[in-house]
Amino acid sequence: MTTLEQQALEYHAAGQRGKVAIQVTKPVGSQTDLSLAYSPGVAAPCMEINRQPSKAYEYTAKGNLVGVITNGTAVLGLGDIGALAGKPVMEGKAVLFKKFAGIDAFDIEIDETDPDKLVEIIAALHPTFGGINLEDIKAPECFYVERRLRERLSIPVFHDDQHGTAIVVGAGLLNALELTGRDISLAKVVCSGAGAAAMACLDMIVDLGVRRENVYVCDSRGVLTTARTLSEEKRAWAQDTAAATLSEVIGMADVFLGLSGPGLLSQDDVRKMAARPIVFALANPEPELRPELVREAAPDAIIATGRSDYPNQINNALCFPYLFRAALDSGARGINQEMKRACVQALAALARGADGFGPGAIVPGLLDKRLLGGVTPRIAAAAWDSGVASRQLDPAAYRLQLEALGKTLL
């Protein structure tokens, strides 16, 4: 039998190499067409943009173009494999942008690990794009790079490993809490992992109503406590406790949030949790504990993973295409917390409105045709209401426009 790895290599090498290509959008079949596409006609839009930079969104692809940018220091579950080896992932991200939201994307792999130099390179590229999706940059540098770019640039900058994961986790958690009859303000959460994705997820669930004092976080050295010397990001989650290990803090926890590595949650840990536990074992490709083993320990658990071969896949593709679609269409200067929260609520509502909503379907599926029209308008409305957008879109008309676009994509 052909392995998945062999199939993947054949898939990427078949026909035209890779997964993306450039498509020409204007006629170039005559000498007149060529004179308009390039010299001398192209001088006219150049001069208009020189006089009024916002015209770039009218005369060029900037308004529908996202840069997918990495330095390859934290690629999927593969780690620091370098910019070049990360290119297939970035091409894949470009495919998802196009497939799910009709957004064009250039993948850019930058061979630079110094965060200040990386910021300078990306900032210098910004005239090309209407938005920048940072991808697979390791912590803690990713926090710094995103913050500096958001301060400098007037286009959306979004580190998907952090915020994309947080948004889908937030949607799934809201529905899991509802299905188990829990009050979010009383839920005890134990998190395994203290990297970029974990920190963003924790910020999001607190924004949604989890109390910070009910959250216990573990990194590779154990529980984050006030007795330890910690980075600024980790210090914000330190608890005043003598507990040192995950097993010592997981007793009667309602929620396990895993963004760490394989084997870090045991069946005994699951048995210590509250009745009907919520287990998000999101390490990829191998979760902290396989769902079938979680189920053995707690038959009534609600389980989510990052894998496509189990129910409740927490996949960033449920949000980033629609966030950027809304940001580009509304002329947003950034992607703020209000837009992210709107995305969480919209995803949760779509799952609740689907046939089969229940413990095995707490988030929508990736190919749910309702996503583009159901999620994007709510994000665009939040962008306008929060003052970050330059264009107010009519929700009903915009939804119809997106639904028509969706029919050409899926």
Side-chain angles (χ1 to χ4, degrees):
M1 174 182 276
T2 304
T3 66
L4 177 64
E5 288 77 12
Q6 290 171 321
Q7 292 178 39
L9 293 174
E10 291 170 3
Y11 172 90
H12 283 78
Q16 186 169 331
R17 303 296 189 259
K19 300 189 288 285
V20 292
I22 292 175
Q23 177 181 332
V24 177
T25 63
K26 299 294 189 294
V28 287
S30 68
Q31 188 63 41
T32 300
D33 291 339
L34 292 173
S35 69
L36 295 173
Y38 199 56
S39 182
V42 75
C46 289
M47 295 308 297
E48 285 294 306
I49 294 168
N50 180 253
R51 284 189 287 267
Q52 189 175 345
S54 63
K55 288 288 186 179
Y57 289 88
E58 183 176 344
Y59 295 130
T60 76
K62 181 179 175 74
N64 195 51
L65 185 62
V66 168
V68 179
I69 300 179
T70 191
N71 66 355
T73 52
V75 179
L76 294 178
L78 305 174
D80 185 356
I81 61 173
L84 180 60
K87 185 174 175 62
V89 179
M90 302 310 116
E91 287 189 359
K93 197 67 173 286
V95 169
L96 298 179
F97 267 116
K98 188 69 172 182
K99 183 68 175 177
F100 293 133
I103 295 171
D104 296 315
F106 288 164
D107 66 286
I108 299 179
E109 295 74 35
I110 300 174
D111 190 12
E112 180 58 71
T113 57
D114 182 281
D116 286 306
K117 291 180 180 178
L118 189 60
V119 167
E120 291 300 324
I121 294 167
I122 297 171
L125 293 170
H126 89 273
T128 303
F129 303 110
I132 291 173
N133 184 113
L134 301 174
E135 188 82 5
D136 293 350
I137 300 171
K138 72 181 179 71
E141 288 88 341
C142 60
F143 302 116
Y144 176 79
V145 170
E146 183 189 39
R147 183 174 67 250
R148 287 293 309 278
L149 289 171
R150 292 181 66 178
E151 290 168 354
R152 289 180 58 168
L153 304 181
S154 59
I155 60 174
V157 177
F158 184 80
H159 185 212
D160 186 49
D161 301 309
Q162 294 181 60
H163 310 298
T165 304
I167 287 166
V168 186
V169 163
L173 180 62
L174 288 180
N175 283 339
L177 292 169
E178 178 176 309
L179 287 166
T180 56
R182 286 178 164 96
D183 181 338
I184 192 170
S185 68
L186 301 178
K188 178 183 175 182
V189 178
V190 173
C191 178
S192 174
M199 293 300 174
C201 287
L202 295 172
D203 285 337
M204 175 58 75
I205 65 174
V206 167
D207 182 73
L208 294 172
V210 171
R211 291 179 181 170
R212 189 175 288 262
E213 60 266 29
N214 292 340
V215 178
Y216 293 80
V217 183
C218 303
D219 65 4
S220 60
R221 295 177 54 202
V223 179
L224 303 188
T225 71
T226 53
R228 290 178 53 186
T229 301
L230 300 168
S231 66
E232 180 182 352
E233 291 83 11
K234 291 184 179 182
R235 194 161 54 245
W237 298 98
Q239 291 274 23
D240 185 9
T241 177
T245 67
L246 184 146
S247 294
E248 291 173 346
V249 294
I250 204 166
M252 294 309 294
D254 300 287
V255 180
F256 171 79
L257 177 59
L259 294 139
S260 49
L264 295 180
L265 180 71
S266 72
Q267 287 186 306
D268 284 342
D269 293 331
V270 175
R271 293 187 186 102
K272 294 177 184 177
M273 296 179 68
R276 300 193 73 190
I278 299 166
V279 178
F280 281 36
L282 306 182
N284 212 356
E286 186 61 33
E288 286 79 4
L289 185 64
R290 284 268 181 160
E292 55 270 25
L293 298 178
V294 175
R295 186 74 63 203
E296 282 183 7
D300 56 356
I302 293 180
I303 308 165
T305 72
R307 294 171 59 119
S308 61
D309 53 349
Y310 290 104
N312 295 328
Q313 185 189 17
I314 303 300
N315 192 312
N316 296 3
L318 283 170
C319 67
F320 70 79
Y322 315 113
L323 281 162
F324 274 96
R325 181 77 277 160
L328 293 170
D329 293 343
S330 66
R333 298 184 301 278
I335 294 174
N336 61 18
Q337 188 63 24
E338 290 82 358
M339 295 166 70
K340 290 183 279 187
R341 192 184 307 119
C343 190
V344 169
Q345 298 288 354
L347 287 171
L350 276 185
R352 289 194 299 272
D355 293 337
F357 171 61
I362 58 174
V363 292
L366 284 180
L367 299 178
D368 191 323
K369 294 183 179 180
R370 302 172 301 154
L371 284 164
L372 185 59
V375 174
T376 315
R378 292 183 63 169
I379 302 170
W384 177 260
D385 292 342
S386 63
V388 75
S390 61
R391 291 188 293 275
Q392 185 176 22
L393 304 171
D394 176 80
Y398 186 41
R399 184 184 183 108
L400 290 174
Q401 174 189 330
L402 292 168
E403 289 174 348
L405 172 63
K407 291 177 181 178
T408 70
L409 299 175
L410 291 176

